[in-house]
mmCIF file of all heavy atoms in Angstrom:
data_model
loop_
_atom_site.group_PDB
_atom_site.id
_atom_site.type_symbol
_atom_site.label_atom_id
_atom_site.label_comp_id
_atom_site.label_asym_id
_atom_site.label_seq_id
_atom_site.Cartn_x
_atom_site.Cartn_y
_atom_site.Cartn_z
ATOM 1 N N ALA A 1270 22.468 -2.452 7.698
ATOM 2 C CA ALA A 1270 21.339 -3.192 8.219
ATOM 3 C C ALA A 1270 20.491 -3.719 7.092
ATOM 4 O O ALA A 1270 20.095 -2.991 6.216
ATOM 5 C CB ALA A 1270 20.515 -2.247 9.061
ATOM 6 N N PRO A 1480 11.165 0.346 -30.842
ATOM 7 C CA PRO A 1480 10.876 -0.256 -32.161
ATOM 8 C C PRO A 1480 11.896 -1.360 -32.464
ATOM 9 O O PRO A 1480 12.955 -1.431 -31.824
ATOM 10 C CB PRO A 1480 11.032 0.919 -33.118
ATOM 11 C CG PRO A 1480 11.893 1.904 -32.406
ATOM 12 C CD PRO A 1480 11.628 1.729 -30.949
ATOM 13 N N PHE A 1672 -18.894 -14.430 -10.980
ATOM 14 C CA PHE A 1672 -17.660 -13.987 -11.617
ATOM 15 C C PHE A 1672 -16.523 -14.962 -11.329
ATOM 16 O O PHE A 1672 -16.505 -15.608 -10.284
ATOM 17 C CB PHE A 1672 -17.256 -12.611 -11.075
ATOM 18 C CG PHE A 1672 -18.339 -11.575 -11.186
ATOM 19 C CD1 PHE A 1672 -19.354 -11.487 -10.241
ATOM 20 C CD2 PHE A 1672 -18.365 -10.688 -12.259
ATOM 21 C CE1 PHE A 1672 -20.361 -10.553 -10.347
ATOM 22 C CE2 PHE A 1672 -19.372 -9.743 -12.377
ATOM 23 C CZ PHE A 1672 -20.377 -9.669 -11.428
#
Side-chain angles (χ1 to χ4, degrees):
F1672 306 82

